Amino acid sequence: MNMQHKTETKTVLQKENNFSEWYNEILKRAEILDVRYPVKGVYVWYPYGYKLRNLIYAILRSLMDKDHEETLFPLLIPKEELMKEKEHIKGFEEEVFWVTKGGSTELDIPLALRPTSETAIYPVFKVWIRSHRDLPLRIYQIVNTFRYETRHTRPLIRLREITSFKEAHTAHASRADAEEQIKKAVAIYKNFFDLLAIPYVITKRPDWDKFPGAEYSIAFDTLMPDGKTMQIATIHLLGESFARTFDIKYEDKDGSLKYVNQTCYGISERCVAAVISVHGDEHGLMLPPEVAPIQVVIVPIVYSSEGKTAEGKESEGVEKVCFAVHEELKKAGIRAFFDSSEERPGAKYYKWEMKGVPLRIEIGPRDVRNNRCEFVRRDDFKRMQVPFGDVVPEVKRTLNEIQACIRDREKKAFLADIYIYKSEGSGAGKGKGKMEELKRKAAQGIVSVFLCESERCGQEVEERLGVSVLGEVIYEEENAERREGECIICSRKGRRVYIARAY
Ligand code: 5CA
Ligand code: ZN
């Protein structure tokens, strides 16, 4: 689809040191999101951006569908329900959009646009759940939610209308079952971000930063090119708090009535923002083949170097071969596009590079004569000659290789940006020099330090270093780092936490 933004000219976009501008340019030039809608924090998906969004969410859906059922709850929540859970509403009060009128008539009951759906869903859980046989109950929905964000809004990252809020809500017979579900949710999200080739850290948020109404919250954070972290997923143990508020009980095997134990977990289009930001470069988007709307673009080379078209017959031959290759790729289930437009090949290269197409196939008269074509990879621009007979298997192999290369490269870069501070005891961590060093490191990425549980120490670190405490590190099995040490502020017993400047 050809929009008004011109993409014909090769322009190199500085990403380093200029991330914000780069990001906005890419959204526009790659036709992901149109930011010209006249409501703050509310944006329009371009068709190409929406295709990318849908491919990403298709992965999420297929992972969720294994043990959740998709549903759809109303957007409007009666004020009374929204206000019921005291901790929850304390957290969201200032972020709620209200519908108070129908035409010119004041509504009897003001209606909230869901900021998230606990208070829409749980009154219905109360009537759905009767017996232990109804448990576990695991549902999810992908909907728009509304939050009156007062901090600086940003496309896909901090929205007032979140268009693609995937929220899962589960109810269980026991706390142990709910905790088991938390582990499953972590595994699903790991799987999801691994497929998107997005690196992350997983932490348990400090108590003062947990989801309103939750017992604890676990978060996935990735690192953006400007050295700040972005929270890309959260998983909350709700325990019995909402069950008590909304009176959600089940009859156990022995006939006794018990409160259910709940969890919820969510992901928004920040996952799309992460794919764009983490992988893109100065030429534009670089989409992992798993989610690229176009995985392969075929470009006929019907111009000679002087800009003259190839001989009529030769040009026809090229077109015919391109068409045949296109058909073959489509038949093999590959998302391919044959760019037969009037533009010059160079302009086509830049356009599809900008849109992040992982692989380009060039076919010119000489290639046709020699029964071969040329592959050009988006990730390293390496060229490769491939006989026509091998195109399908070679495309498959190359796409897999690109996916793996992008993943490994990002993982490596990410790990290099995590600085593990080793306090050597004897108060060495408290010196001014150490704090300066930590501040410098935290300006570039994520820093791991020891911190005690007190909110005071947490806040002191946040203030002195200009960072957020992401939370206690949740360990991967292979990670052998020491887990306990002296709090860098008060020297009491502390746990390993990640700190970083955060979005
Ligand atoms: N009910 C729970 C679980 S679904 C919930 O609302 N959790 S949340 O508030 O943490 O939101 C889930 C995820 O949505 C966050 O981790 C974050 O990645 C994303 N998110 C939150 N607010 C916004 C926003 N204003 N714009 C874009 N994404 C957002
Ligand atoms: Zn401390």
Side-chain angles (χ1 to χ4, degrees):
M1 185 158 182
N2 219 342
M3 296 285 177
Q4 48 275 68
H5 308 300
K6 303 241 173 206
T7 50
E8 302 87 48
T9 44
K10 177 136 187 157
T11 33
V12 172
L13 297 170
Q14 271 284 287
K15 189 182 179 192
E16 305 294 317
N17 308 321
N18 207 11
F19 170 64
S20 219
E21 205 180 311
W22 177 91
Y23 182 71
N24 291 328
E25 273 303 302
I26 295 290
L27 291 182
K28 180 164 84 182
R29 293 205 208 176
E31 294 175 337
I32 302 296
L33 214 65
D34 195 325
V35 301
R36 293 173 294 187
Y37 197 75
V39 178
K40 186 177 154 66
V42 175
Y43 309 96
V44 180
W45 289 100
Y46 280 113
Y48 186 73
Y50 199 60
K51 283 194 189 96
L52 170 64
R53 179 265 187 208
N54 282 344
L55 284 160
I56 292 174
Y57 277 73
I59 294 180
L60 188 53
R61 261 204 178 88
S62 79
L63 293 172
M64 295 299 295
D65 285 343
K66 286 180 188 150
D67 50 12
H68 301 67
E69 286 188 294
E70 188 171 0
T71 59
L72 186 55
F73 276 74
L75 165 66
L76 297 171
I77 304 176
K79 181 172 182 185
E80 205 183 316
E81 300 294 349
L82 188 80
M83 305 306 270
K84 263 186 189 158
E85 217 296 319
K86 293 289 168 286
E87 287 302 313
H88 185 64
I89 191 58
K90 245 201 288 173
F92 277 105
E93 212 155 32
E94 290 305 315
E95 291 186 17
V96 177
F97 279 95
W98 288 103
V99 177
T100 56
K101 279 184 180 176
S104 56
T105 313
E106 288 284 335
L107 297 182
D108 297 341
I109 306 163
L111 300 169
L113 300 185
R114 60 183 162 221
T116 166
S117 303
E118 285 73 9
T119 57
I121 293 174
Y122 300 165
V124 179
F125 271 14
K126 175 185 161 63
V127 297
W128 281 0
I129 296 169
R130 286 274 156 256
S131 116
H132 61 91
R133 280 181 301 270
D134 299 323
L135 300 174
L137 178 59
R138 288 180 288 220
I139 57 126
Y140 78 96
Q141 61 178 5
I142 299 174
V143 294
N144 53 352
T145 60
F146 295 82
R147 294 184 180 184
Y148 184 75
E149 295 278 359
T150 48
R151 285 195 287 165
H152 185 62
T153 52
R154 239 180 235 274
L156 305 177
I157 294 175
R158 184 163 290 106
L159 305 162
R160 287 192 174 170
E161 180 182 3
I162 307 172
T163 68
S164 311
F165 195 67
K166 192 286 296 169
E167 48 178 327
H169 295 268
T170 73
H172 307 268
S174 69
R175 162 108 182 179
D177 288 358
E179 299 236 43
E180 206 45 50
Q181 189 62 37
I182 296 274
K183 285 192 192 135
K184 283 187 187 160
V186 169
I188 292 173
Y189 285 180
K190 274 185 168 181
N191 213 331
F192 176 60
F193 290 113
D194 289 343
L195 286 166
L196 301 184
I198 300 291
Y200 49 80
V201 289
I202 308 172
T203 57
K204 187 170 173 185
R205 284 280 185 263
D207 238 26
W208 66 85
D209 195 26
K210 63 186 186 185
F211 180 71
E215 273 183 38
Y216 64 78
S217 296
I218 288 172
F220 283 59
D221 293 275
T222 193
L223 195 57
M224 297 292 262
D226 56 3
K228 292 189 197 169
T229 56
M230 177 169 72
Q231 173 183 298
I232 45 174
T234 35
I235 301 165
H236 314 289
L237 183 84
L238 302 178
E240 290 184 359
S241 61
F242 284 90
R244 288 177 186 274
T245 304
F246 289 95
D247 193 36
I248 314 170
K249 283 188 242 167
Y250 71 97
E251 191 180 325
D252 209 352
K253 286 179 192 133
D254 61 9
S256 62
L257 277 181
K258 289 179 180 156
Y259 286 113
V260 297
N261 219 285
Q262 291 175 272
T263 79
C264 69
Y265 32 102
I267 281 181
S268 78
E269 56 254 57
R270 280 187 186 185
C271 63
V272 181
V275 167
I276 292 168
S277 309
V278 170
H279 303 316
D281 66 8
E282 67 269 27
H283 304 286
L285 289 182
M286 189 188 303
L287 297 176
E290 286 274 356
V291 297
I294 299 171
Q295 296 169 308
V296 182
V297 64
I298 302 158
V299 178
I301 314 292
V302 288
Y303 285 91
S304 72
S305 52
E306 295 87 47
K308 285 195 231 121
T309 47
E311 296 296 305
K313 223 169 105 195
E314 276 198 321
S315 153
E316 242 172 62
V318 167
E319 297 261 329
K320 241 165 69 190
V321 170
C322 286
F323 184 82
V325 168
H326 184 213
E327 288 301 306
E328 228 186 305
L329 289 173
K330 277 195 298 188
K331 242 185 266 157
I334 293 156
R335 294 188 290 276
F337 181 74
F338 170 25
D339 187 351
S340 60
S341 69
E342 292 293 306
E343 281 174 295
R344 296 168 52 84
K348 292 180 184 176
Y349 300 165
Y350 310 143
K351 172 176 172 179
W352 299 114
E353 281 167 14
M354 173 59 67
K355 292 196 170 229
V357 176
L359 185 62
R360 175 169 83 227
I361 300 181
E362 299 175 4
I363 302 175
R366 197 172 344 138
D367 297 312
V368 173
R369 281 197 298 274
N370 294 321
N371 241 328
R372 53 142 211 245
C373 57
E374 194 146 293
F375 282 16
V376 186
R377 287 169 59 149
R378 173 66 180 84
D379 61 330
D380 57 11
F381 293 104
K382 281 208 180 105
R383 290 179 171 271
M384 190 171 99
Q385 289 187 342
V386 178
F388 282 133
D390 298 342
V391 164
V392 168
E394 278 304 303
V395 163
K396 285 187 176 165
R397 193 187 60 75
T398 309
L399 290 179
N400 284 337
E401 207 174 288
I402 294 172
Q403 178 81 29
C405 281
I406 294 179
R407 189 192 56 221
D408 295 348
R409 191 192 57 199
E410 291 313 330
K411 181 100 183 250
K412 222 169 116 195
F414 182 74
L415 290 176
D417 284 333
I418 299 181
Y419 174 68
I420 298 176
Y421 176 66
K422 305 216 165 48
S423 70
E424 309 300 345
S426 68
K430 284 172 290 178
K432 205 162 175 238
K434 287 293 169 196
M435 288 311 248
E436 285 305 315
E437 185 198 347
L438 288 175
K439 193 168 179 170
R440 241 187 358 261
K441 294 286 184 191
Q444 295 156 18
I446 299 171
V447 177
S448 155
V449 296
F450 292 119
L451 204 62
C452 74
E453 288 200 325
S454 90
E455 185 165 350
R456 256 194 49 207
C457 288
Q459 256 150 24
E460 191 169 333
V461 168
E462 293 194 342
E463 272 160 35
R464 285 179 65 183
L465 300 181
V467 296
S468 299
V469 175
L470 300 181
E472 190 184 316
V473 176
I474 299 199
Y475 280 80
E476 314 271 322
E477 275 101 69
E478 72 269 21
N479 194 325
E481 283 302 326
R482 201 154 48 92
R483 287 171 183 233
E484 289 185 357
E486 279 181 17
C487 171
I488 55 163
I489 300 295
C490 72
S491 302
R492 279 181 304 196
K493 200 174 94 180
R495 310 266 274 169
R496 246 192 205 291
V497 302
Y498 284 133
I499 58 175
R501 291 181 309 136
Y503 264 77

